[in-house]
């Protein structure tokens, strides 16, 4: 029943600004895919092309094996939750949420039941008869969300649906969205700015930059093995350093970096390659023992700042080379600012990126 | 201590200002609008047997003689009927013409919309008389002068630019996302028009209709050129008392007759707009 979504070679320009260039990907039936990327990279534009509000200059959209390019938006059976909410200002909350069901000629009792369910889910009970301008920003956003989810379409499109909610509610609604989506097997494209959210709920994360797709992977892969500097930097925080390969033999390679000489995994490097390395702050482990294992990178530096983050302690460490490294260590680690620290980075935890 | 005193003094000043400002505005409005009306009312009630002349501050004897005369012995009743009928038809015609045009120019962003928008406004800057003479000739050739059709056509031409302007702005300020959201949820063109476009431009439509109606009710030049002598309206009757056989008392009666329905219409429409549609028009988006 669930639908496969194929986006094939989409180009879209506004005047002479290329908003999407050669965007292609496939989303398997029932998958939950997140689009992640900086502001203005074309996420909304892509959703609008999928929903049919914008005609692409090039390329096709398939739902299953049907080409959708010529199908008007009202015949596409998608539901979109708009970034601008796009609530009908002259209709009440109830009428807004119910709109899609009414268009689909669902029985009235069924309509009422489903509206009640979804209003409970997004915590709007009691506001049925308000007009959108009588709601707070977060309440308006939840109406927009409810209005899209309720129709149970083939494909759900979310454009930052939770951006205006407080952390607690966001987490609850996010889980609810995921449960509904799973139980009904609706293929879903979800746009967010929040990379933690993307990693938490997606089957697949697609990273976009400047109208292009940079990487499409499952959350673990995209976090641990970002394919470019952009992805490493955009998703999570990362120490990105440049380096030159000194020696590559067998399973390990030796790289000269701005942190010093490091051993890394050999991913087919050739001596003389210039590469970028990504080290996640939480992969930097303070070393208290005296004995050093031969396959570890052991480094020392001076703690410039120790910032208490609640769940962790973030250290900014200045290396001998003046390069500053960020480390995220256990919250009860005892360090004082200005002291020397010795730490370990396991070669497996260093991700190598070309250019 | 001292600070508190100054504070309370400031408060007092603000209170006074808050009271004075509306009061001042009200007085100006009273002088501007109220006095002429009062003046016309008094003149319309003057008894012709006891003329109102200097140095009397008020007429010495009031009577409804002029009112009776105007209703009994002139064409005023028919003219009132004509005026309302013509204003009604003009409003309908403007609505029918303006709605699709404004949609095309405001929403569809056709090539050359900007140019058309300026063309549309041109009639507003043409002197009425100049346009009237030319139009009168044209309508005469077309064989519609002296008919209701002819008068409706010229009234529509005069009022249409205002109606168009208001509706174009309405259409332009409608967020595209809203229309897209409706299509996305399955709405076809009919539903989009009746449930989204129409309610959202309703405030503009009411304002435009109000304006058209009043413009048509008050139009003299073109009505006279095209309609006279077969079609008389309240303004043409009024002007006939302002010419050579100037009769201030009778003119006062007719001008009040012209004023009252407009005033009522304005008040009712204003209230309606406020309560029903302002919310929708000003809703936070
Ligand atoms: N109708 C339009 N006309 C011209 N340029 C447009 C139009 N719509 C979008 N753009 C441009 O296309 C680019 C992509 O816009 P888009 O709305 O898809 O960004 P986004 O990734 O959704 O950003 P955000 O995260 O800020 O919502 C932007 O640079 C934007 O200025
Ligand atoms: Mg966007």
């Amino acid at each position: 029943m669930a639908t496969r979504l194929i986006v094939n070679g989409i180009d879209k320009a506004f005047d002479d600004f290329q908003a999407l260039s050669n965007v292609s990907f496939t989303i398997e039936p029932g998958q939950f895919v997140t689009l992640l990327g900086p502001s203005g990279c074309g996420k909304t534009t892509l959703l609008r092309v999928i929903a049919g509000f914008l005609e692409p200059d090039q390329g096709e959209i398939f739902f299953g094996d049907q080409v959708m390019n010529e199908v008007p938006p009202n015949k596409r059976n998608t539901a979109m939750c708009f970034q601008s909410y796009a609530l009908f200002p002259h209709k009440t909350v109830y009428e807004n949420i119910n709109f899609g069901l009414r268009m689909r000629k669902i029985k009235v009792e069924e309509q009422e039941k489903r509206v009640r369910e979804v209003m409970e889910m997004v915590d709007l009970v009691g506001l049925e008869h308000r007009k959108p301008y009588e709601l707070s920003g977060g309440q308006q956003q939840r109406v927009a969300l409810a209005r899209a989810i309720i129709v149970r379409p083939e494909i759900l499109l979310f454009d930052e649906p939770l951006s205006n909610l407080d952390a607690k509610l966001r987490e609850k609604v996010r889980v609810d969205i995921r449960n509904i989506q799973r139980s009904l097997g609706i293929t879903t494209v979800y746009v967010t700015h929040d990379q933690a959210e993307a990693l938490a709920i997606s089957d697949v994360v697609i990273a976009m930059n400047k109208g292009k797709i940079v990487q499409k992977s499952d959350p673990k892969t995209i976090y641990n093995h970002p394919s470019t500097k952009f992805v490493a930097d955009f998703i999570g925080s990362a120490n990105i350093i440049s380096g030159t390969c000194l020696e590559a033999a067998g399973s390990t390679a030796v790289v000269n970096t701005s942190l010093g000489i490091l051993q890394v995994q050999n991913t087919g490097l050739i001596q003389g390659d210039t590469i970028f390395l990504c080290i996640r702050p939480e992969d930097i482990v303070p070393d208290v023992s005296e004995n050093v294992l031969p396959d570890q990178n052991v480094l020392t530096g001076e703690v410039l700042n120790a910032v208490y983050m609640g769940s962790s302690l973030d250290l900014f460490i200045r290396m001998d080379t003046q390069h500053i490294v960020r480390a995220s260590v256990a919250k009860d680690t005892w360090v004082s600012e200005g002291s020397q620290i010795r730490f370990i980075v396991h070669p497996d935890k260093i991700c190598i990126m070309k250019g | 201590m001292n600070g508190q005193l100054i504070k309370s003094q400031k408060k007092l000043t603000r209170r006074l200002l808050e009271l004075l400002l509306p009061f001042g505005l009200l007085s100006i409005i009273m002088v501007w609008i109220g006095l002429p009306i009062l003046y016309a009312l008094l003149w319309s009630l003057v008894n012709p047997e006891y003329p109102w002349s200097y140095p009397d501050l008020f007429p010495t004897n009031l009577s409804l003689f002029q009112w009776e005369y105007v209703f009994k012995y002139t064409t005023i009743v028919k003219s009132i009927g004509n005026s309302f009928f013509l204003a009604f038809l003009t409003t309908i015609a403007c609505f029918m013409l303006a709605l699709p045009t404004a949609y095309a120019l405001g929403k569809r962003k056709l090539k050359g919309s900007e140019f058309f928008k300026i063309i549309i406004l041109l009639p507003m800057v043409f002197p009425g008389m100049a346009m009237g003479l030319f139009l009168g000739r044209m309508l005469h050739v077309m064989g519609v002068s002296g008919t209701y059709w002819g008068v409706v056509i010229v009234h529509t031409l005069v009022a249409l630019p205002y109606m168009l302007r208001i509706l174009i702005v309405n259409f332009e300020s409608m967020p595209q996302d809203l229309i897209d959201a409706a299509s996305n949820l399955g709405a076809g063109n009919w539903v989009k028009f009746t449930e989204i476009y129409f309610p959202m431009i309703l405030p503009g439509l009411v304002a435009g209709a109000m304006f058209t109606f009043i413009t048509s009710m008050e139009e003299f030049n073109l009505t006279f050129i095209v309609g006279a002598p077969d079609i008389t309206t309240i303004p043409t009757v009024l002007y006939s008392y302002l010419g050579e056989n100037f009769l201030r008392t009778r003119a006062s009666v007719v001008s009040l007759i012209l004023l009252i329905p407009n005033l009522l219409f304005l008040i009712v429409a204003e209230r309606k707009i406020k309560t029903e549609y302002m919310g929708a028009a000003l809703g936070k988006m």
Side-chain angles (χ1 to χ4, degrees):
Chain A
M1 185 44 218
T3 308
R4 177 179 286 114
L5 170 66
I6 303 171
V7 173
N8 185 27
I10 296 288
D11 279 353
K12 178 70 200 176
F14 296 110
D15 299 321
D16 53 358
F17 177 78
Q18 196 71 33
L20 295 175
S21 29
N22 196 21
V23 171
S24 297
F25 57 83
T26 299
I27 302 179
E28 294 305 323
Q31 262 189 340
F32 192 106
V33 172
T34 314
L35 283 181
L36 200 55
S39 183
C41 73
K43 305 180 296 289
T44 300
T45 307
L46 181 55
L47 290 192
R48 292 171 63 82
V49 168
I50 295 172
F53 313 140
L54 280 179
E55 221 174 289
D57 302 333
Q58 281 286 308
E60 300 88 37
I61 302 289
F62 292 87
F63 291 1
D65 41 22
Q66 201 193 347
V67 187
M68 300 307 282
N69 289 41
E70 301 301 320
V71 181
N74 58 325
K75 298 265 157 50
R76 286 203 186 186
N77 199 16
T78 66
M80 176 150 162
C81 177
F82 287 73
Q83 192 171 15
S84 65
Y85 313 158
L87 302 180
F88 307 128
H90 51 284
K91 291 184 187 291
T92 63
V93 168
Y94 188 95
E95 290 164 344
N96 263 284
I97 296 178
N98 199 29
F99 191 82
L101 297 185
R102 207 153 52 75
M103 293 301 114
R104 282 166 172 74
K105 309 221 158 38
I106 307 268
K107 276 208 216 74
V108 175
E109 309 88 77
E110 169 83 3
Q111 285 181 20
E112 283 169 1
K113 188 173 139 268
R114 269 162 75 173
V115 173
R116 208 174 325 115
E117 273 172 19
V118 78
M119 286 192 68
E120 260 162 40
M121 182 193 121
V122 296
D123 206 3
L124 281 175
V125 177
L127 303 180
E128 288 83 352
H129 303 297
R130 297 253 189 110
K131 293 275 177 67
Y133 60 87
E134 296 168 320
L135 301 177
S136 74
Q139 289 168 335
Q140 290 179 18
Q141 186 164 42
R142 282 178 274 156
V143 176
L145 183 64
R147 189 178 66 175
I149 297 183
I150 197 170
V151 296
R152 301 176 186 170
E154 278 181 74
I155 294 180
L156 263 170
L157 306 168
F158 294 107
D159 202 346
E160 305 196 25
L162 310 178
S163 59
N164 222 338
L165 307 188
D166 63 75
K168 268 266 148 37
L169 191 59
R170 186 184 313 186
E171 231 156 87
K172 172 197 174 290
V173 175
R174 184 207 284 166
V175 171
D176 287 337
I177 290 179
R178 191 67 165 115
N179 286 341
I180 290 185
Q181 181 269 340
R182 266 213 189 101
S183 65
L184 298 171
I186 304 173
T187 309
T188 302
V189 185
Y190 186 100
V191 169
T192 176
H193 262 126
D194 180 346
Q195 33 93 17
E197 184 167 287
L199 297 175
I201 51 172
S202 321
D203 295 317
V204 173
V205 178
I206 295 178
M208 280 182 77
N209 191 23
K210 296 182 182 155
K212 292 195 182 71
I213 293 195
V214 189
Q215 187 171 2
K216 172 176 181 265
S217 309
D218 61 280
K220 250 194 192 130
T221 311
I222 208 161
Y223 188 77
N224 291 325
H225 302 285
S227 64
T228 68
K229 241 167 83 176
F230 166 80
V231 177
D233 198 29
F234 193 76
I235 301 178
S237 52
N239 296 293
I240 296 169
I241 46 186
S242 56
T244 322
C245 181
L246 294 178
E247 191 189 324
S251 62
T252 57
V254 180
V255 182
N256 185 14
T257 71
S258 44
L259 300 189
I261 307 285
L262 294 178
Q263 295 182 59
V264 301
Q265 281 183 305
N266 187 0
T267 54
L269 294 176
I270 303 169
Q271 190 179 351
D273 276 353
T274 50
I275 51 172
F276 287 98
L277 309 179
C278 164
I279 304 172
R280 297 289 180 193
E282 65 274 17
D283 291 332
I284 293 178
V285 185
D287 181 32
V288 282
S289 62
E290 289 300 311
N291 46 345
V292 173
L293 300 164
D295 60 346
Q296 297 280 25
N297 296 302
V298 181
L299 299 162
T300 53
E302 181 197 352
V303 178
L304 282 183
N305 277 307
V307 182
Y308 185 64
M309 306 291 283
S311 60
S312 68
L313 184 70
D314 277 17
L315 307 178
F316 294 84
I317 305 164
R318 182 162 61 204
M319 309 300 293
D320 295 339
T321 56
Q322 300 304 310
H323 197 95
I324 293 169
V325 175
R326 179 174 181 161
S328 187
V329 301
K331 62 182 178 208
D332 42 14
T333 311
W334 192 88
V335 276
S336 60
E337 291 180 358
S339 67
Q340 288 287 314
I341 187 168
R342 218 166 80 106
F343 58 91
I344 298 175
V345 184
H346 195 278
D348 290 356
K349 304 286 189 187
I350 301 175
C351 172
I352 296 162
M353 303 168 299
K354 293 254 163 62
Chain B
M1 284 292 273
N2 203 8
Q4 224 160 23
L5 197 72
I6 290 173
K7 229 183 193 169
S8 71
Q9 261 175 355
K10 267 190 182 162
K11 224 173 173 177
L12 202 73
T13 325
R14 220 180 52 215
R15 272 277 181 76
L16 263 168
L17 272 179
E18 273 167 11
L19 274 175
L20 278 177
L21 201 68
F23 185 75
L25 275 178
L26 203 70
S27 339
I28 291 170
I29 290 171
M30 286 305 288
V31 172
W32 197 261
I33 297 167
L35 273 188
I37 293 180
L38 186 70
Y39 186 70
L41 193 67
L42 287 177
W43 267 110
S44 74
L45 293 174
V46 167
N47 189 335
E49 315 265 313
Y50 304 86
W52 178 17
S53 56
Y54 190 77
D56 297 337
L57 198 53
F58 290 103
T60 45
N61 194 312
L62 298 181
S63 86
L64 286 175
F65 174 83
Q66 292 298 352
W67 285 88
E68 274 169 33
Y69 182 89
V70 165
F71 274 95
K72 260 192 195 140
Y73 301 108
T74 71
T75 57
I76 193 72
V77 175
K78 184 157 176 16
S79 304
I80 294 174
N82 278 346
S83 275
F84 274 94
F85 181 60
L86 289 168
F88 181 72
L89 284 186
T90 304
T91 308
I92 300 280
C94 275
F95 170 74
M96 306 274 264
L97 290 172
L99 200 62
T101 318
Y103 172 73
L105 292 181
K107 202 74 214 151
R108 290 265 99 156
K109 297 274 177 325
L110 294 182
K111 275 212 181 82
S113 322
E114 292 308 313
F115 177 70
F116 281 118
K117 273 188 234 163
I118 292 171
I119 295 278
I120 283 167
L121 295 187
L122 274 183
M124 286 162 74
V125 297
F126 266 48
M129 247 324 169
M131 195 165 82
L133 290 172
F134 168 71
L135 268 176
R137 184 77 205 130
M138 206 174 86
L139 292 175
H140 185 76
V141 171
M142 285 165 65
V144 287
S145 59
T147 67
Y148 287 108
W149 287 119
V151 180
V152 168
I153 289 174
V154 286
H155 281 193
T156 304
L157 283 176
V158 171
L160 195 56
Y162 298 96
M163 184 77 137
L164 269 173
R165 192 73 213 140
I166 295 172
L167 286 188
I168 287 173
V169 170
N170 265 251
F171 273 113
E172 276 175 343
S173 59
M174 201 178 302
Q176 183 60 37
D177 273 1
L178 226 56
I179 317 296
D180 288 343
S183 328
N184 180 245
L185 294 167
N189 286 335
W190 174 248
V191 175
K192 267 195 289 188
F193 176 75
T194 53
E195 294 201 29
I196 313 296
Y197 281 121
F198 190 75
M200 288 199 62
I201 58 162
L202 203 49
L205 218 48
V206 172
M210 207 166 89
F211 200 88
T212 308
F213 197 90
I214 292 174
T215 304
S216 167
M217 289 286 283
E218 308 226 304
E219 176 60 40
F220 168 72
N221 291 344
L222 292 166
T223 317
F224 186 75
I225 291 166
V226 175
D230 306 308
I231 296 184
T232 57
T233 61
I234 306 174
T236 61
V237 172
L238 176 62
Y239 276 63
S240 71
Y241 293 126
L242 297 180
E244 310 210 323
N245 46 350
F246 177 58
L247 269 174
R248 179 168 290 158
T249 47
R250 228 163 272 172
S252 299
V253 173
V254 180
S255 57
L256 282 175
I257 291 173
L258 182 57
L259 187 69
I260 290 164
N262 283 352
L263 220 53
L264 284 180
F265 191 61
L266 187 76
I267 291 167
V268 170
E270 246 286 309
R271 288 189 83 107
K272 192 86 183 129
I273 289 182
K274 271 229 182 74
T275 49
E276 298 273 309
Y277 317 123
M278 271 322 191
L282 300 176
K284 310 182 229 174
M285 290 294 309

